[in-house]
Amino acid sequence: MFLLWHFLALPLLLSVAAYLVFRWKNRRFDRISAELQGPKGYPFIGCGHLFIGKSNEQQFAILNDITKTYPSPVRAWLGQKFVVFIDNPEDLQIVLNSPNCLEKADVYRFFHCEKGLFSSPASVWKVHRKLLSPCFSPNILASFLPIFNLKSAILVQRIEKHVGRKEFKINEDIARCTLDMICATTLGTDMDLQSDEGTEYIRAIEEACELINQRVFKPWLHPDFIYEKTKNFQLEKESFEKAYKMARKVLKLKQEQRSKSKYVPTRAEDEKKPQIYIDQILRIAEETDIFDDADIRDELDTIIVGGNETSAVTLSHVVLMLAMHQDIQEKMYNEIVNVIGSQDPSIPVHNDHLANLNYTEMVIKETMRLFPVGAVIGRTCTAPTKISKATLPEGTVIILGVFNVHRNPKYWGPQAERFNPDNFLPERAAERHPYSYLPFSGGPRNCIGYKYGLMSMKIMMCHLLRSYRFRSPLKMEELQLKMSITLKVTNKHLVQIEKR
Ligand code: HEM
């Protein structure tokens, strides 16, 4: 009898008590939970059971399924969190601009970058963002042009070995190039990362993203004390160490340079120079108590992953789309040659050229419509917030469905799934709700590097297309998507290249 009580009845009683406490603490969600529709949830795991044993591809498909089955806004419990999914432009606009929704969702802490812009609490984010925004001014971006040209030319050389051979996965070459660019520009350090050294970082970032994504959909792994006991935690730790090793190396180098330098420029002199991200952070840290060691480390890690992975994945998608749509590729090639005035890929791209590459920009934008790297974005409500059909109580996790709104026929017409850069003709764009297209998120907490991203991608495309013609054995209808923090193509970016 004692054994029965000990092993069965006592745990059961404790579970019931824990559940009742949980229900009481979350009673503010009872009303909205009854008002909105969504999948059935169970105590403690909510709808987490739907994702058990599923791959990243399947998880993405299930998420899409749920959001198509129930009318927006969709509600769900994911573990202990009350979640509302929205995907209509009006609500997206409200949430992205509301001072009540500046806080990121709890799962952003899985990146271990709590003081970096991407995942920091709103109070820290406001101060950092104001100080770091000048590092992306038009003048500073223009000063990066020679680096973008040089690194793109190296990419062209590195893939030359594939000319006339069978298809290869171009994404890793592109990722090494974007990483090389980020280090040489925002970190102000040329590390020649298109060699094998770059591969180690790229793979580490990819592995870490896969593991974090798995954790996001398994609410029972959200508490750190449980996750820290798993094998994935160890694997993730190793991946992060490898991924962030380079930022540590650059930081050490820069700190040594600054401490050895006898000449300390005045603030006014310093401000006249391009505000390289890392220099700006180190200068503020020396002059004020705003950036401590953890802030510096987290901001650099954020920029390495945020700046590299996003542009690399997007540009790989652009190349794949062009390889699948020969007519669009030729039109873009002709524009590039006309604007630069030469087919010779060794002629560098200038700032004046960029504003005239209108079709190129339309192609990049259309690619980001169908394949937004930030397919969903997560925020937390810090005060009751009214959206079109409900008032979200404090503590609601809001999932913003960027992928859904980008493919909704209501805003993109009956052929919303088709790749068509003409969607971005000025007259068509003017007719659409501005929040029906959010590749860089929106509102005050949007992507800080979006101009950098667009500029570097345009320059890379000018070099690639003047050197090669791309083809792919893949068809649009064969592409399979998965979430691995960023949205990726499972089939990989398989392309063949021919010399122009
Ligand atoms: C194609 C290129 C890019 C795309 C599609 C992209 C997309 C995004 C998106 C969707 C977000 C919001 C994420 C969220 O709230 O969950 C974001 C934030 C951010 N991105 Fe980008 N990004 C790109 C390039 C870059 C580059 C080149 C950099 C830096 C050099 C950068 C740095 C950041 C940072 C620091 C944040 C956090 C901003 C904040 O919360 O204040 N991104 N990006």
Side-chain angles (χ1 to χ4, degrees):
M1 188 61 191
F2 174 76
L3 280 180
L4 186 71
W5 162 253
H6 200 74
F7 288 109
L8 237 75
L10 185 61
L12 197 73
L13 262 176
L14 287 175
S15 306
V16 171
Y19 180 65
L20 289 176
V21 171
F22 167 76
R23 284 299 307 264
W24 186 78
K25 272 172 68 184
N26 288 292
R27 62 194 184 284
R28 67 184 180 285
F29 298 116
D30 287 350
R31 197 165 137 204
I32 183 169
S33 197
E35 277 169 16
L36 302 180
Q37 293 185 43
K40 188 171 164 47
Y42 293 95
F44 302 113
I45 58 166
C47 65
H49 63 285
L50 296 171
F51 302 100
I52 294 178
K54 302 290 191 249
S55 64
N56 285 358
E57 290 87 328
Q58 290 166 324
Q59 283 171 351
F60 186 59
I62 294 167
L63 186 67
N64 279 332
D65 222 35
I66 294 174
T67 58
K68 301 243 163 67
T69 307
Y70 303 98
S72 173
V74 182
R75 62 104 186 102
W77 281 95
L78 192 61
Q80 313 268 318
K81 301 276 180 219
F82 180 70
V83 179
V84 169
F85 183 97
I86 53 168
D87 61 7
N88 62 314
E90 294 76 18
D91 285 344
L92 292 169
Q93 182 166 19
I94 293 173
V95 169
L96 286 170
N97 290 287
S98 165
N100 303 338
C101 305
L102 281 172
E103 214 66 62
K104 293 285 178 89
D106 175 60
V107 292
Y108 282 65
R109 73 184 157 84
F110 298 167
F111 290 92
H112 306 291
C113 243
E114 281 105 61
K115 296 179 124 189
L117 282 179
F118 176 69
S119 35
S120 53
S123 55
V124 175
W125 167 79
K126 272 186 199 150
V127 180
H128 286 204
R129 174 93 185 205
K130 199 164 167 219
L131 290 166
L132 294 173
S133 288
C135 299
F136 292 92
S137 73
N139 279 349
I140 290 174
L141 294 183
S143 75
F144 294 156
L145 237 86
I147 298 174
F148 291 148
N149 275 301
L150 176 76
K151 299 300 179 188
S152 303
I154 299 176
L155 169 65
V156 165
Q157 272 171 20
R158 284 202 58 99
I159 61 172
E160 195 176 6
K161 61 179 183 277
H162 297 285
V163 170
R165 298 214 184 143
K166 66 182 194 23
E167 66 270 11
F168 71 105
K169 298 168 194 161
I170 197 167
N171 47 308
E172 221 170 64
D173 295 277
I174 291 179
R176 273 194 296 261
C177 179
T178 52
L179 185 67
D180 207 16
M181 284 178 171
I182 280 287
C183 285
T185 54
T186 54
L187 303 189
T189 309
D190 196 344
M191 299 190 56
D192 189 18
L193 287 167
Q194 300 197 50
S195 59
D196 286 340
E197 196 186 349
T199 314
E200 193 192 351
Y201 302 124
I202 306 279
R203 295 209 176 139
I205 293 171
E206 216 173 87
E207 277 157 22
C209 286
E210 285 278 321
L211 293 164
I212 295 175
N213 206 79
Q214 283 291 332
R215 187 180 178 195
V216 168
F217 286 98
K218 292 179 179 150
W220 52 95
L221 295 180
H222 287 195
D224 288 338
F225 71 95
I226 297 180
Y227 190 59
E228 282 163 11
K229 309 240 168 357
T230 65
K231 194 171 148 224
N232 277 9
F233 170 73
Q234 280 311 325
L235 293 172
E236 194 191 289
K237 208 169 144 211
E238 285 162 27
S239 301
F240 270 121
E241 270 161 22
K242 276 190 225 157
Y244 293 155
K245 198 167 74 184
M246 183 187 41
R248 308 276 182 280
K249 207 160 122 184
V250 177
L251 179 60
K252 203 162 157 248
L253 203 88
K254 282 273 172 184
Q255 278 171 329
E256 279 168 9
Q257 277 171 2
R258 282 181 89 88
S259 67
K260 274 188 204 147
S261 168
K262 293 203 179 64
Y263 173 69
V264 182
T266 62
R267 193 190 177 102
E269 277 173 323
D270 220 4
E271 276 169 359
K272 276 190 202 138
K273 292 192 299 186
Q275 303 291 290
I276 300 290
Y277 212 67
I278 191 164
D279 292 334
Q280 169 86 335
I281 293 177
L282 291 177
R283 188 171 63 77
I284 299 167
E286 283 160 13
E287 289 179 2
T288 66
D289 55 1
I290 293 177
F291 285 114
D292 62 17
D293 284 352
D295 296 68
I296 298 175
R297 215 184 44 222
D298 285 359
E299 286 301 5
L300 294 184
D301 292 344
T302 298
I303 218 70
I304 299 243
V305 179
N308 157 51
E309 156 89 355
T310 47
S311 307
V313 173
T314 303
L315 201 80
S316 306
H317 290 145
V318 173
V319 173
L320 186 62
M321 286 304 103
L322 292 175
M324 288 177 170
H325 300 86
Q326 291 297 315
D327 49 336
I328 295 173
Q329 185 176 167
E330 281 318 289
K331 194 166 168 188
M332 184 162 150
Y333 167 74
N334 288 331
E335 178 187 77
I336 290 172
V337 171
N338 279 337
V339 169
I340 299 179
S342 170
Q343 298 173 337
D344 179 356
S346 67
I347 306 284
V349 185
H350 297 305
N351 215 10
D352 298 345
H353 298 145
L354 295 174
N356 295 319
L357 292 168
N358 297 324
Y359 191 69
T360 304
E361 187 162 320
M362 283 160 64
V363 169
I364 296 174
K365 283 184 169 167
E366 175 66 351
T367 308
M368 292 193 291
R369 178 182 77 81
L370 285 177
F371 308 99
V373 290
V376 290
I377 289 170
R379 296 283 175 94
T380 302
C381 240
T382 49
T385 305
K386 196 172 170 348
I387 57 168
S388 53
K389 289 190 188 151
T391 297
L392 308 175
E394 178 195 338
T396 305
V397 174
I398 312 166
I399 305 294
L400 298 101
V402 174
F403 180 84
N404 280 26
V405 75
H406 280 193
R407 291 189 179 222
N408 189 336
K410 190 170 164 198
Y411 312 106
W412 302 93
Q415 296 197 309
E417 304 278 330
R418 218 188 100 208
F419 181 72
N420 179 13
D422 288 352
N423 279 321
F424 288 92
L425 284 168
E427 59 275 21
R428 286 210 203 162
E431 283 169 7
R432 275 190 306 266
H433 192 293
Y435 281 72
S436 57
Y437 184 62
L438 295 164
F440 297 106
S441 184
R445 208 163 179 176
N446 69 345
C447 172
I448 198 173
Y450 79 95
K451 285 188 185 144
Y452 177 115
L454 276 176
M455 188 177 192
S456 61
M457 288 192 294
K458 274 187 183 175
I459 296 178
M460 284 163 89
M461 281 321 302
C462 287
H463 284 264
L464 286 170
L465 277 198
R466 281 181 302 161
S467 306
Y468 306 116
R469 179 175 286 111
F470 293 88
R471 297 189 196 280
S472 177
L474 295 171
K475 304 259 176 311
M476 281 299 268
E477 55 281 10
E478 290 168 0
L479 294 185
Q480 278 205 328
L481 299 178
K482 69 168 177 181
M483 282 256 284
S484 176
I485 299 305
T486 48
L487 182 74
K488 300 199 174 93
V489 172
T490 319
N491 325 47
K492 302 285 178 196
H493 303 85
L494 285 175
V495 294
Q496 290 159 314
I497 55 173
E498 289 161 21
K499 249 194 151 55
R500 288 256 178 206

